[in-house]
Amino acid sequence: MGKIIAIANQKGGVGKTTTTVNLAASLGVLEKKVLLIDADPQANASSGLGIDVESVEIGTYQVLEHTASINDAIYKTTSPNVDIIPAHIDLVAIEIELVDKEQREYMLQKALTKLKNKYDYILIDCAPSLGLITLNSLVAADSVIIPIQCEYFALEGLGKLLNTIKSVQNIHNPNLDIEGLLLTMFDSRLRLSNQVVEEVRKHFSTMVFDTIIRRNTRLGEAPSYGESIIAYDATSKGAVNYLSLANEIIKRNV
């Protein structure tokens, strides 16, 4: 039985997509079968794994609308053991189109029931908002990874996200867990980075992953080549960090 993990934070620029793409690639390299669902209209996870977003005819939009079979929306990627359901800019419209539908929060959950046994992990890259697409992702997920950047406003908005998760647990998905808080963009030379790590660990202790994702130029370069960090530079700090995170998640879910 596969595990569905949403990667969510309504703050932009915290490393959500970087984490989804590189965690998927790392789990794939560790011989886990992975499906990445791009639930962000910006479609960066799709292009980051080499998908030509303009040519996507069936993707997350059609899956949420239930106008196409979920199996038709799955594309192979060049990353070993990683498949993807890509996004397209038309996903922006889904928020409006689902508003009148019955059980609109459960569209993704229903679509995924047929797939859960085919993969070890299904990772959902959420949009940087707490709208209907993100709500669908949280309702469908077994757990959430929350990336937090090691910068000044790190904890800003975290309370809001945790409240959203709590209300999803209360109303739609009582089994939703927090997989962990992931510290990203860490620079050991900056006092502020170290202070944020200290603060987050103090407040959330066991909820925080041991792995910290360090600032790394190669991590920033990889998406422009349509590759994960594993394919782009397997010896870089970024690749080592994400492989470490993948191992940590596998251990937690044994």
Side-chain angles (χ1 to χ4, degrees), residues 207-232:
M207 282 166 71
V208 187
F209 285 108
D210 293 334
T211 302
I212 294 178
I213 309 299
R214 294 170 177 274
R215 264 197 194 284
N216 180 239
T217 318
R218 310 296 274 169
L219 265 181
E221 292 168 357
S224 60
Y225 293 89
E227 290 182 342
S228 72
I229 190 63
I230 307 296
Y232 182 63

Side-chain angles (χ1 to χ4, degrees), residues 23-244:
L23 176 57
S26 300
L27 287 165
V29 163
L30 297 170
E31 298 187 343
K32 299 293 176 190
K33 204 161 168 15
V34 183
L35 174 67
L36 191 160
I37 299 173
D38 193 345
D40 182 350
Q42 294 174 71
N44 291 337
S46 305
S47 56
L49 277 176
I51 299 290
D52 174 12
V53 177
E54 291 306 314
S55 68
V56 169
E57 285 178 15
I58 300 174
T60 315
Y61 177 82
Q62 286 76 14
V63 168
L64 283 165
E65 277 263 281
H66 289 199
T67 54
S69 153
I70 194 163
N71 290 308
D72 294 338
I74 297 171
Y75 292 65
K76 290 255 167 265
T77 74
T78 52
S79 246
N81 300 316
V82 179
D83 292 343
I84 188 169
I85 294 178
H88 185 276
I89 191 66
D90 62 7
L91 188 55
V92 168
I94 202 80
E95 300 265 340
I96 299 155
E97 287 170 31
L98 287 184
V99 161
D100 303 333
K101 299 223 172 177
E102 267 185 49
Q103 298 223 301
R104 57 183 183 260
E105 301 92 349
Y106 298 92
M107 295 307 223
L108 187 58
Q109 187 191 59
K110 283 178 188 158
L112 285 179
T113 47
K114 303 169 187 131
L115 275 189
K116 220 174 167 187
N117 295 328
K118 290 187 181 175
Y119 293 94
D120 298 308
Y121 292 95
I122 296 175
L123 304 181
I124 309 172
D125 184 31
C126 296
S129 74
L130 294 176
L132 202 46
I133 310 177
T134 300
L135 185 56
N136 260 274
S137 304
L138 293 174
V139 171
D142 298 309
S143 66
V144 195
I145 291 173
I146 304 170
I148 297 173
Q149 84 279 43
C150 298
E151 283 169 13
Y152 185 67
F153 292 114
L155 298 176
E156 194 187 61
L158 186 58
K160 203 172 176 188
L161 178 61
L162 292 173
N163 284 339
T164 300
I165 290 169
K166 208 168 273 175
S167 70
V168 170
Q169 288 166 330
N170 291 338
I171 302 165
H172 305 292
N173 183 1
N175 302 319
L176 182 65
D177 277 331
I178 292 179
E179 187 76 27
L181 306 181
L182 176 68
L183 291 155
T184 63
M185 303 180 192
F186 176 73
D187 187 339
S188 57
R189 298 164 302 178
L190 300 178
R191 208 168 89 215
L192 181 62
S193 270
N194 291 294
Q195 282 171 344
V196 170
V197 170
E198 238 171 80
E199 187 126 331
V200 172
R201 288 207 191 282
K202 190 173 79 189
H203 284 296
F204 299 101
S205 60
T206 54
M207 282 166 71
V208 187
F209 285 108
D210 293 334
T211 302
I212 294 178
I213 309 299
R214 294 170 177 274
R215 264 197 194 284
N216 180 239
T217 318
R218 310 296 274 169
L219 265 181
E221 292 168 357
S224 60
Y225 293 89
E227 290 182 342
S228 72
I229 190 63
I230 307 296
Y232 182 63
D233 185 352
T235 60
S236 66
K237 265 188 206 157
V240 171
N241 289 167
Y242 277 111
L243 281 164
S244 161

